[in-house]
Amino acid sequence: MLICNALLPGGQVRDVTTDEGRIVALGEPGSLSAPKTDVLDIEGALLAPAFVEGHVHLDKTHFGAELVPHEGAPDVQTRIAVERTLRHKVSRPVEQRARDLILRMLSFGTTRIRSHVDIDSDIKLANVHALLAVREQLRDIVDIQLVAFPQSGIVRDPGVADLMDAALAAGVDLVGGLDPHGIDGDIDGHLDVVFGLAARHGKSIDIHLHDGGAIGAGELRDIAARTKAHGLNDRVTVSHAFSLGMVDELTFGQTAAQLAEAGISIMTSSPPPVPVPPVARLRGYGVNVFAASDNIRDCWSPFGNGDLLDRASIVCQRQEFFANEDIRGAFEMISTAPARALSISPYGIAQGDLSDLVVLDAPSVEEAVINRARRLHVIRRGRLVVKDGEVLI
Ligand SMILES: [Zn+2]
């Protein structure tokens, strides 16, 4: 494919060629050639790495279904109990809701997705099989990683460890976890199962950690120590990590240093009104931090739309990222940073990088974030999958 007259994030205008899923060359306009049928002239529009959705719940979403009235809950445990009842009242099947949301995300410029999938003693592997089927249906247009997610805990929900084991054997890609202290009340028991499954199946890990304060920070250091002991550097993500926004300077520094040393990525959706990890300080310690959608129209929140430019804007406003370089950092948090967390490499817009690209109606990366720029075209593995805003399926 030859993409002509592309404005690159660095400000240069270049022609770009791709082949076999990679960027082959970048050159002055008019200097490169390709078969005539594969030419896309974007006339000075911004060409950027496609977005990577590193944390979403495709099986939970009510996307395309009627609004299920939200029921309040004072804490995570109550929210889980409410969801276990309400989820059976959603009319559309999981497969349809997930598929429609994925296509919407693709139209927003996202070509790679990591989705957590609920596993518990009630629904067992039903949602796992639903999302494995959807992934297979859409394999020609989008890449999806699935995480075995114990939404009701592991230790306190008997049989879940075996169900997670079966999910991994069936094709799920990562081992999930959830609040070893807050949900299971057994930090070692929970982490023994998570790291044990990862070792047995040779998988990476992505843990939800809402636990706050000194306990949550202690769990982060435990996870960092286990990551190093298991040789899983650069293959573990912790989502939320609210404790990093609560602890004192000394504890924060010690924890951040250990996270960086273990190559642990941190995901923040920057939700109000809870404390959130201070992104700039974490990056100062060398921690990879990315932004993601998390819940989209489900029992946890009726809001969310799967648009990662929206998410970058939310992060900027929550973290007071108003300077140009900070806004560019937020753009990295929905593209190159989640790519690193998801082991998608090499990712960017240089020769040899994977050719997953988005064409934006914007004069710069900063304006793309500020204006939530229109997505014109999306290219996945060197092939056009969205043209003029329409998914080609
Ligand atoms: Zn989540």
Side-chain angles (χ1 to χ4, degrees):
M1 192 170 181
L2 169 62
I3 304 159
C4 299
N5 299 306
L7 173 66
L8 302 184
Q12 320 89 325
V13 176
R14 292 283 184 272
D15 285 358
V16 178
T17 55
T18 70
D19 194 23
E20 296 188 350
R22 302 262 177 178
I23 295 172
V24 176
L26 300 98
E28 295 288 336
S31 66
L32 307 175
S33 64
K36 209 174 176 183
T37 49
D38 284 342
V39 176
L40 179 71
D41 187 349
I42 62 171
E43 302 173 336
L46 181 66
L47 182 72
F51 305 138
V52 177
E53 173 59 78
H55 185 126
V56 69
H57 294 263
L58 292 171
D59 62 328
K60 290 181 188 288
T61 189
H62 303 166
F63 195 78
E66 76 287 1
L67 179 68
V68 177
H70 186 75
E71 288 187 20
D75 52 45
V76 174
Q77 293 205 17
T78 315
R79 169 67 47 217
I80 293 166
V82 167
E83 181 181 45
R84 282 178 75 132
T85 304
L86 280 186
R87 65 184 170 188
H88 294 295
K89 297 180 179 171
V90 185
S91 56
R92 296 187 87 207
V94 169
E95 289 91 335
Q96 288 180 17
R97 293 182 258 136
R99 183 178 186 279
D100 288 355
L101 178 55
I102 292 164
L103 295 180
R104 177 66 63 86
M105 293 163 80
L106 192 62
S107 76
F108 284 142
T110 297
T111 58
R112 296 178 187 251
I113 297 169
R114 174 181 287 180
S115 176
H116 297 255
V117 192
D118 283 7
I119 294 173
D120 59 46
S121 55
D122 171 28
I123 54 165
K124 300 188 168 62
L125 297 182
N127 288 7
V128 166
H129 291 306
L131 286 197
L132 284 170
V134 172
R135 176 166 74 178
E136 185 60 24
Q137 281 171 23
L138 300 179
R139 58 180 293 179
D140 290 337
I141 55 172
V142 65
D143 288 271
I144 300 174
Q145 299 181 2
L146 298 176
V147 186
F149 178 47
Q151 177 68 86
S152 293
I154 298 174
V155 177
R156 73 169 193 150
D157 198 11
V160 166
D162 289 340
L163 288 166
M164 291 171 71
D165 193 31
L168 294 161
V172 167
D173 308 278
L174 292 101
V175 184
L178 171 67
D179 293 337
H181 169 76
I183 296 295
D184 268 348
D186 183 352
I187 294 171
D188 283 335
H190 187 99
L191 294 179
D192 282 351
V193 172
V194 170
F195 281 86
L197 286 171
R200 190 178 320 150
H201 292 273
K203 302 292 191 186
S204 301
I205 292 172
D206 193 330
I207 300 177
H208 280 65
L209 190 65
H210 310 92
D211 288 340
I215 290 175
E219 288 174 283
L220 284 170
R221 293 193 298 276
D222 275 359
I223 291 168
R226 286 177 183 257
T227 296
K228 282 166 57 182
H230 280 80
L232 284 173
N233 281 45
D234 300 319
R235 293 181 57 188
V236 175
T237 297
V238 176
S239 298
H240 302 306
F242 297 144
S243 60
L244 291 170
M246 304 175 179
V247 292
D248 62 74
E249 194 82 20
L250 182 64
T251 307
F252 176 86
Q254 289 169 342
T255 308
Q258 290 182 41
L259 292 172
E261 204 182 318
I264 289 175
S265 292
I266 298 292
M267 186 292 292
T268 181
S269 60
S270 282
V274 293
V276 292
V279 172
R281 286 171 62 205
L282 275 174
R283 291 177 125 195
Y285 275 89
V287 178
N288 183 45
V289 189
F290 67 96
S293 298
D294 199 10
N295 297 101
I296 298 174
R297 291 194 215 176
D298 59 20
C299 293
W300 293 71
S301 168
F303 288 93
N305 58 10
D307 184 346
L308 284 172
L309 276 183
D310 252 6
R311 187 58 50 183
S313 166
I314 290 168
V315 169
C316 285
Q317 293 173 69
R318 186 79 209 272
Q319 304 273 341
E320 213 174 336
F321 283 175
F322 296 162
N324 275 8
E325 66 172 286
D326 290 336
I327 298 171
R328 294 177 81 84
F331 193 88
E332 291 169 10
M333 287 175 69
I334 58 168
S335 53
T336 50
R340 180 178 158 195
L342 271 62
S343 303
I344 299 164
S345 169
Y347 207 72
I349 196 141
Q351 188 178 20
D353 286 346
L354 295 168
S355 52
D356 280 34
L357 302 161
V358 59
V359 180
L360 297 150
D361 182 16
S364 67
V365 164
E366 296 87 332
E367 296 241 25
V369 174
I370 292 165
N371 295 325
R372 284 112 153 148
R374 201 154 51 96
R375 278 27 73 94
L376 302 175
H377 313 294
V378 182
I379 294 148
R380 181 254 190 177
R381 295 181 183 245
R383 195 170 69 81
L384 204 56
V385 289
V386 174
K387 187 164 191 277
D388 298 319
E390 295 294 324
V391 177
L392 302 175
I393 187 168

